[in-house]
Amino acid sequence: MVAVSTKLPTEEDILRPINTLTKKYFILYGIAALALLAFLVGWAYQLQKGLIVTGLGDWGSGGGSTWGLYIGAFIWWVGVAHGGIILSAAVRLLGMDRYMPIARLAEMTTIGGLSAAGFYILVHMGRPDRMVTSVLGHYHITVNNSPLVWDVTVITAYFVLSATYLGLTLRYDVSRLRDDLPDMFEPVYKLMTIGYTEKEDEVIDRMVWWLAAAVIIMAPLLLHGGVIPWLFALLPAMPAWSGGIQGPMFLSIALMSAISGVMIISYAFRRAYDWEHIITDDIFRGLLLWLGFFTLLFLWFQLQSVLNGVFMGPLASQHAAEAKMAHPAYQVAMTLMFGTLVFIFLQGIRPALFSKKRALLASGIILTGTLTEKILFVVEGFLHPTFDIYAATPGTYFPSLIEWLSLAGTAGLVALLFLNLSKLVPVVELHAVEHMRGEHGHDEDDEHATEPEVKA
Amino acid sequence: MSTDDESFHPLGQEWEGELENMLDDTEYDTDLGMQMAQDAMRVTKGELSEAEFHEMYHDDVMEEFGEDQRPTQEAFEAAQEEAKGTVSRMLSAFDGDGEESRRDVMKKMGVGAATVGMGAFGSTIDGKPSLAGEGEGHGGSHSQAEQNEDLQWGMTIDLERCDGCLSCMEACASENDLDQGVNWMYVMAFEDELTSGGSPAPDNIVGGTSDHNMLVRPCQHCTDAPCEKVCPTTARHTRDKDGLVLTDYDVCIGCRYCQVACPYGVNYFQWDEPDVAHEDINGHDGAEVDDPEEITHAEYENGTERWVDSRSPRGTMSKCTMCPSMQDGRQGEERVGTTACERACPPDAIQFGNVKDERSDASQHGEHPSKSRAIIEISGDVPDPETIDAQLSEGDDLEAVLGNEELDLNAEVVSIMKAVQIVSEEEGLEPGDEENNTILEGQVTIVESVTALEEYVDLESEAALTELQLGDGEASDANARLREFAGNPSSKFKLLEDIGTHPNITYIGQEPGPEAEQVEGPSEYSDISYERSDGSEVDLVDKRQEILDEGTVGDVGWSL
């Protein structure tokens, strides 16, 4: 079942989401809005009653877990976001033209992921009302020591970076497709293309290249390979979190989650708008291989960290590693991810084993696996601290209904973002379409233009 | 830009005025500072050589600050001499260019000197006289660098005297109107594979339990507190004037990172509305105060007040505060240098005080545990000098003293009294009157009584020393006698000292090892109840999670 697409993509194709309005769209919109609304109600209740409505508690004599699903999901969403922007940057920087049609989806995933993560910061706080006065008011002092402040800084920086990135590349598309875009949003388009002239294309190209370069360089230093794991790994007395391996580990999880997320979103758009010839099978095969590669790295890092604990580690690390290995949720998550890796490996050898449905399933499994691992990772720290004398430690924790609902709510939030954006701007770049047709709107070498790159 | 005003400073008159005001606020000479700064600018412009500049002010700086760590001309020349071998050889390779480079080098040095000069004034503004290289250098952050060097509240806790009665937990919870399960002070018994049973002090010492190892766990008020380091708001901070690690309840956003980062697990979050309403907080022992702020707020160096004491409001973090309202004197002078838990401890296992002052209870008990225990132990049995004068007459001997029913002394108490006197002469410390240095005060009382006794009886005769088991009456004999009486503690330690938090609680007794595990102690937590300001009386709770689970929406009873 090798899908051969001979059809060339057109402007109408990428405008289709904007110019159609189907029943399915409304149903999906309703579900996403309902999920978000349900959580907002839950959050309102939490604001009224306090964080006691969660399953959290005080580690130590109290026998609880200080952080739980909220923080686990927070770092998971940040991972999705960071992975998304890395994916998109790699496409631009390394010339991975094959993935051009999904680059913008990856950028939008980043915006969505960062929005969800930012929302989690508020949800997680005991006094969200003080966010501005307490955090910004003392920023010049706290940025020197607090990894949490580094975190907020980096998330903000990446939000700005990704939004700029997305905004700049959209100018090209919107200015060219303006006539076919709905008049309803005219002011928005005007604002987006303010001062646009064709002369800027070249400049924007270079700017985007540098933005992409910044993303790629900063990824291991500041994104999921740095600041986010440092939130945990730098603390002195929580052996389940410590170790330099957490940087690479977090980065691999971020990329796994982002690739999976982008695959699911791509699948949905392809199915909804008949984009077989734009988001080709080839893209899914390629993404699946990359997913396999990062899953392999992730499992390797897990092995490193666990083995470092169980093979004659210091007592505290040993207890933490043994407890981690013995945890049923950990075992299930690792088995699922290992199984997926085996499938990806096999379909690499035997292409007939590939199908988009299976790729979709693999993505779902990886996302579930990484989310489980993240939440577990957060809780494990409190279960096996160095100062493990308390009878109440390891304590107990199970997310409350409201915490579970937050997952649905943030997923709904991200879905709504896609549903809204897809009615406003093309989610596939005009560049990608031009590229697939073998045209080049601007400043590409002529020799490229003469070679059709459409893969058959 | 600033050429038309008369300022020497490139940023102009206004900036110069500001600098001048800053200098005025210090105890140091403003005119000298401004003059030096002006000349430092001249150095940068090349009008004055760096060596001349140093020479010019050397005497003034010595007079003002008592030291001058800037390189003087001699030092400068010595350095030049030393560098000559290498630098001049390198420079000669450039021939004609050499002179040019050298001039550049000198210019740069001038700029450097000016920077040092201004830096020196920077540090005097911070209230420190030295020019550079000050500080202990254990990687402290900005706030720690400005901390009061003379005062750091802390505790020495004698675990061998703790009998696990939980009075301290009760007193703390009552003093601070804590919710159930919020155990700022937490006392636990533990077992360790390494030790079989408890390590109590000898039987003649009050307290201790032979069946259990005890651990008393307030906040450690670390000098390098991880909780403070990670706080995204500065709500968790160290009070500069006395080193207490506190939480500003008006600033805390409830992210709980402090609880995550604390290696000791001393933080308790206010997950819901606290049991005792703010307006009901009325202080301790029923002492009504009109305004809860009087005991919930503490004073700061700069005259401000921050809400840091008593139970925290909803959505913020709380932990043991070491009673700042007591340290600030708001609960009366007699409570300065004490805490609720210390006052409540029947065997005086908790010794609170200024750990930087060797006269404090915390230092005394930590440094001389046997003597300190002995003083605590016999204080109640020692007759005052007036009674001694009244009861004894010229020519009485030790037999007569011990036989006197009014004095009610036995040979052991006299022996310890004499031992304390011998040892105290060796140390020669006075209690001072700024804090509650009860151990040294007890020592003074004992020494006075011994002196009164010796008016009538020779306690230093060979026969007396033998009877009192004091050997030759040397300090070493006296110390041995004190150890024999009060026990020689198995060890002294700080919790998790190897992770670099520099805690300010010192423990005496059995240190819990990595495999130590809490076991049921001599008293049940639920048997102890405490009264709060609003009149409510509730039991102590060990596992707070059981209470918190009641508020969880959709609690299924499972656990990850």
Side-chain angles (χ1 to χ4, degrees):
Chain A
M1 50 164 285
V2 182
V4 182
S5 72
T6 46
K7 208 166 75 174
L8 286 175
T10 62
E11 276 79 358
E12 288 76 65
D13 284 333
I14 62 167
L15 285 170
R16 199 168 309 131
I18 302 171
N19 296 325
T20 56
L21 209 53
T22 64
K23 205 156 110 195
K24 276 184 187 163
Y25 178 85
F26 281 115
I27 291 171
L28 207 56
Y29 202 99
I31 292 171
L34 211 61
L36 179 60
L37 190 72
F39 174 59
L40 287 178
V41 171
W43 186 37
Y45 185 69
Q46 177 184 302
L47 286 174
Q48 190 195 350
K49 292 278 171 188
L51 280 160
I52 192 160
V53 302
T54 65
L56 298 165
D58 305 303
W59 88 265
S61 71
S65 180
T66 312
W67 286 351
L69 186 144
Y70 286 158
I71 288 289
F74 160 73
I75 53 176
W76 184 77
W77 275 119
V78 176
V80 170
H82 285 173
I85 195 77
I86 292 169
L87 204 69
S88 156
V91 171
R92 280 181 214 288
L93 206 66
L94 308 178
M96 296 159 85
D97 295 345
R98 183 205 257 189
Y99 302 105
M100 270 176 80
I102 56 155
R104 185 165 288 162
L105 285 176
E107 287 150 27
M108 288 173 167
T109 308
T110 296
I111 301 288
L114 288 179
S115 307
F119 187 29
Y120 263 118
I121 292 181
L122 284 180
V123 167
H124 157 86
M125 275 181 188
R127 294 296 303 263
D129 53 313
R130 293 177 178 170
M131 181 76 186
V132 173
T133 49
S134 291
V135 179
L136 291 186
H138 302 98
Y139 181 83
H140 59 292
I141 301 167
T142 53
V143 74
N144 295 302
N145 346 293
S146 176
L148 203 56
V149 179
W150 304 344
D151 220 273
V152 173
T153 309
V154 165
I155 289 175
T156 310
Y158 269 79
F159 194 89
V160 173
L161 211 63
S162 323
T164 310
Y165 197 102
L166 188 58
L168 286 179
T169 50
L170 275 170
R171 286 165 73 87
Y172 181 86
D173 295 26
V174 171
S175 59
R176 272 165 188 72
L177 302 171
R178 180 87 162 267
D179 295 344
D180 299 313
L181 292 170
D183 297 336
M184 192 168 45
F185 304 124
E186 183 64 19
V188 183
Y189 299 133
K190 261 200 173 127
L191 195 71
M192 284 173 72
T193 56
I194 198 158
Y196 179 85
T197 58
E198 287 199 6
K199 274 190 283 180
E200 81 171 37
D201 289 346
E202 201 185 326
V203 179
I204 284 192
D205 241 32
R206 275 208 302 275
M207 284 172 72
V208 167
W209 190 92
W210 281 108
L211 281 173
V215 167
I216 292 286
I217 292 164
M218 286 164 87
L221 291 176
L222 287 184
L223 289 173
H224 236 64
V227 171
I228 311 293
W230 289 339
L231 203 54
F232 304 92
L234 299 184
L235 300 180
M238 298 296 193
W241 293 338
S242 63
I245 194 72
Q246 300 303 348
M249 177 95 76
F250 271 56
L251 189 59
S252 66
I253 296 174
L255 287 159
M256 287 162 73
S257 311
I259 293 172
S260 303
V262 168
M263 258 209 277
I264 291 173
I265 293 161
S266 304
Y267 183 91
F269 273 99
R270 166 171 156 152
R271 201 187 139 118
Y273 301 111
D274 302 321
W275 281 350
E276 289 82 10
H277 56 303
I278 297 175
I279 306 176
T280 58
D281 281 13
D282 197 40
I283 288 177
F284 285 97
R285 283 177 191 275
L287 285 178
L288 203 55
L289 281 180
W290 280 111
L291 182 60
F293 175 66
F294 291 117
T295 307
L296 182 67
L297 285 182
F298 166 75
L299 290 170
W300 177 40
F301 298 147
Q302 283 290 333
L303 180 72
Q304 298 289 334
S305 80
V306 169
L307 200 61
N308 257 287
V310 292
F311 189 86
M312 301 198 77
L315 282 173
S317 326
Q318 198 172 329
H319 293 322
E322 280 167 2
K324 181 186 172 105
M325 274 180 76
H327 202 290
Y330 179 76
Q331 292 165 351
V332 169
M334 291 305 126
T335 309
L336 283 174
M337 290 197 260
F338 184 74
T340 310
L341 179 64
V342 170
F343 161 71
I344 295 173
F345 181 70
L346 288 179
Q347 66 87 38
I349 301 173
R350 200 177 241 276
L353 286 174
F354 171 85
S355 78
K356 286 191 302 301
K357 283 252 166 59
R358 283 177 189 165
L360 192 70
L361 188 67
S363 301
I365 288 173
I366 293 293
L367 279 178
T368 315
T370 51
L371 180 61
T372 310
E373 201 277 339
K374 285 287 188 201
I375 295 171
L376 206 57
F377 173 82
V378 170
V379 177
E380 270 166 355
F382 306 105
L383 300 185
H384 309 286
T386 301
F387 192 59
D388 199 8
I389 191 169
Y390 298 104
T393 308
T396 57
Y397 169 68
F398 197 76
S400 73
L401 211 56
I402 293 178
E403 289 173 272
W404 286 119
L405 214 52
S406 74
L407 288 178
T410 45
L413 178 76
V414 174
L416 281 179
L417 186 97
F418 270 102
L419 289 169
N420 286 328
L421 278 179
S422 69
K423 290 288 166 233
L424 186 69
V425 292
V427 298
V428 173
E429 277 183 87
L430 188 55
H431 269 318
V433 173
E434 290 164 352
H435 184 81
M436 289 173 100
R437 285 200 304 242
E439 310 161 5
H440 295 278
H442 59 281
D443 90 308
E444 292 265 339
D445 297 342
D446 280 342
E447 79 183 278
H448 265 284
T450 53
E451 282 174 49
E453 286 185 32
V454 180
K455 305 213 164 47
Chain B
M1 280 181 285
S2 60
T3 44
D4 47 6
D5 65 32
E6 281 168 15
S7 169
F8 69 84
H9 202 280
L11 292 179
Q13 188 66 49
E14 196 185 331
W15 175 246
E16 195 188 316
E18 245 180 83
L19 287 177
E20 198 160 354
N21 287 338
M22 280 158 86
L23 280 172
D24 277 336
D25 289 343
T26 70
E27 52 180 302
Y28 304 107
D29 188 343
T30 306
D31 291 336
L32 172 64
M34 295 311 285
Q35 189 60 44
M36 276 182 78
Q38 193 164 350
D39 283 332
M41 291 308 296
R42 287 176 57 202
V43 173
T44 65
K45 289 178 190 153
E47 297 168 10
L48 193 67
S49 90
E50 169 225 27
E52 277 164 1
F53 173 70
H54 284 160
E55 216 39 42
M56 217 154 129
Y57 287 107
H58 181 68
D59 289 341
D60 285 334
V61 168
M62 284 306 289
E63 193 192 327
E64 189 67 21
F65 301 119
E67 59 179 315
D68 184 2
Q69 292 183 4
R70 305 165 311 139
T72 59
Q73 184 155 15
E74 295 131 68
F76 178 74
E77 276 162 9
Q80 285 281 302
E81 201 58 39
E82 208 172 283
K84 218 179 223 168
T86 46
V87 176
S88 56
R89 221 180 308 128
M90 279 162 67
L91 290 181
S92 64
F94 292 98
D95 272 332
D97 291 347
E99 194 49 45
E100 183 66 33
S101 312
R102 198 176 309 191
R103 210 177 298 137
D104 277 348
V105 169
M106 290 304 287
K107 223 187 269 174
K108 277 172 200 156
M109 282 175 144
V111 174
T115 315
V116 169
M118 293 312 283
F121 288 105
S123 53
T124 61
I125 286 158
D126 287 342
K128 269 203 220 160
S130 84
L131 296 180
E134 170 88 12
E136 293 245 57
H138 41 62
S141 70
H142 181 65
S143 66
Q144 282 146 8
E146 289 173 6
Q147 224 162 294
N148 186 343
E149 304 272 326
D150 303 324
L151 177 55
Q152 169 67 61
W153 295 119
M155 289 175 177
T156 295
I157 301 178
D158 193 339
L159 300 176
E160 293 182 356
R161 288 182 71 104
C162 173
D163 59 5
C165 68
L166 311 184
S167 304
C168 53
M169 287 178 66
E170 180 191 346
C172 175
S174 181
E175 166 77 24
N176 295 296
D177 294 321
L178 302 179
D179 281 8
Q180 283 180 288
V182 180
N183 299 314
W184 286 5
M185 172 55 97
Y186 190 64
V187 175
M188 62 189 122
F190 68 92
E191 268 176 10
D192 202 325
E193 284 175 0
L194 305 166
T195 54
S196 47
S199 60
D203 287 343
N204 50 358
I205 291 290
V206 174
T209 154
S210 52
D211 298 328
H212 304 89
N213 283 311
M214 300 303 301
L215 183 64
V216 179
R217 193 239 56 200
C219 167
Q220 308 288 307
H221 289 264
C222 306
T223 297
D224 291 308
C227 58
E228 177 183 345
K229 211 173 169 63
V230 302
C231 177
T233 67
T234 71
R236 180 60 57 84
H237 63 281
T238 301
R239 189 161 72 156
D240 291 344
K241 72 174 182 184
D242 58 7
L244 289 184
V245 179
L246 300 167
T247 318
D248 191 326
Y249 297 148
D250 282 322
V251 174
C252 176
I253 55 170
C255 72
R256 313 191 286 289
Y257 202 11
C258 50
Q259 188 179 81
V260 173
C262 173
Y264 308 101
V266 306
N267 290 280
Y268 296 85
F269 188 63
Q270 197 58 48
W271 299 93
D272 58 353
E273 211 56 54
D275 292 352
V276 177
H278 185 255
E279 60 269 21
D280 287 339
I281 297 175
N282 64 3
H284 56 92
D285 306 344
E288 292 285 332
V289 290
D290 295 334
D291 185 0
E293 291 198 0
E294 280 184 39
I295 51 163
T296 58
H297 284 54
E299 287 155 21
Y300 280 74
E301 304 73 42
N302 50 8
T304 55
E305 290 198 345
R306 296 168 82 172
W307 181 12
V308 297
D309 207 355
S310 285
R311 101 283 179 280
S312 68
R314 192 180 95 179
T316 61
M317 192 60 79
S318 76
K319 66 160 189 67
C320 152
T321 58
M322 286 189 174
C323 303
S325 61
M326 289 191 193
Q327 312 324 330
D328 287 354
R330 295 184 169 209
Q331 301 198 20
E333 278 306 308
E334 78 281 2
R335 296 200 177 197
V336 175
T338 70
T339 58
C341 55
E342 180 192 40
R343 302 174 71 84
C345 180
D348 287 319
I350 299 172
Q351 297 293 343
F352 177 81
N354 177 7
V355 296
K356 292 204 171 151
D357 182 352
E358 59 177 335
R359 300 169 304 170
S360 73
D361 290 353
S363 301
Q364 281 293 313
H365 202 86
E367 291 304 314
H368 314 285
S370 302
K371 185 191 80 178
S372 175
R373 283 176 177 178
I375 291 169
I376 295 165
E377 211 51 50
I378 64 164
S379 278
D381 300 329
V382 176
D384 56 54
E386 288 75 38
T387 316
I388 292 170
D389 284 337
Q391 293 296 320
L392 297 181
S393 50
E394 209 68 41
D396 277 348
D397 60 1
L398 189 54
E399 290 306 314
V401 171
L402 299 178
N404 188 307
E405 289 191 4
E406 283 299 313
L407 293 179
D408 197 21
L409 285 167
N410 60 39
E412 186 166 60
V413 172
V414 177
S415 156
I416 298 309
M417 286 168 67
K418 182 63 187 165
V420 167
Q421 185 209 36
I422 295 169
V423 173
S424 70
E425 276 168 7
E426 191 82 355
E427 286 166 11
L429 281 181
E430 294 293 326
D433 48 15
E434 63 256 41
E435 302 156 15
N436 280 293
N437 294 336
T438 57
I439 291 169
L440 282 183
E441 280 161 12
Q443 176 172 302
V444 167
T445 311
I446 290 168
V447 170
E448 281 167 4
S449 296
V450 175
T451 314
L453 267 183
E454 286 182 322
E455 295 281 316
Y456 307 97
V457 190
D458 181 8
L459 294 178
E460 288 178 353
S461 70
E462 207 170 309
L465 287 174
T466 309
E467 176 153 14
L468 297 176
Q469 304 173 46
L470 287 168
D472 299 332
E474 298 293 326
S476 58
D477 298 311
N479 273 317
R481 179 72 186 100
L482 291 174
R483 283 198 293 273
E484 182 196 5
F485 172 76
N488 193 19
S490 53
S491 70
K492 190 163 92 167
F493 65 94
K494 292 182 176 183
L495 275 180
L496 306 183
E497 211 170 359
D498 56 337
I499 55 172
T501 50
H502 298 101
N504 284 304
I505 307 271
T506 302
Y507 291 97
I508 285 172
Q510 178 62 49
E511 179 172 11
E515 300 284 32
E517 187 64 25
Q518 182 182 357
V519 293
E520 215 162 283
S523 311
E524 287 276 337
Y525 296 100
S526 56
D527 287 348
I528 312 286
S529 62
Y530 59 100
E531 206 188 332
R532 298 183 288 200
S533 291
D534 62 353
S536 60
E537 190 167 339
V538 290
D539 295 339
L540 287 175
V541 168
D542 181 22
K543 291 184 181 158
R544 191 187 187 196
Q545 195 62 29
E546 285 161 13
I547 296 177
L548 296 180
D549 281 346
E550 290 166 18
T552 302
V553 172
D555 178 33
V556 283
W558 300 342
S559 176
L560 277 180

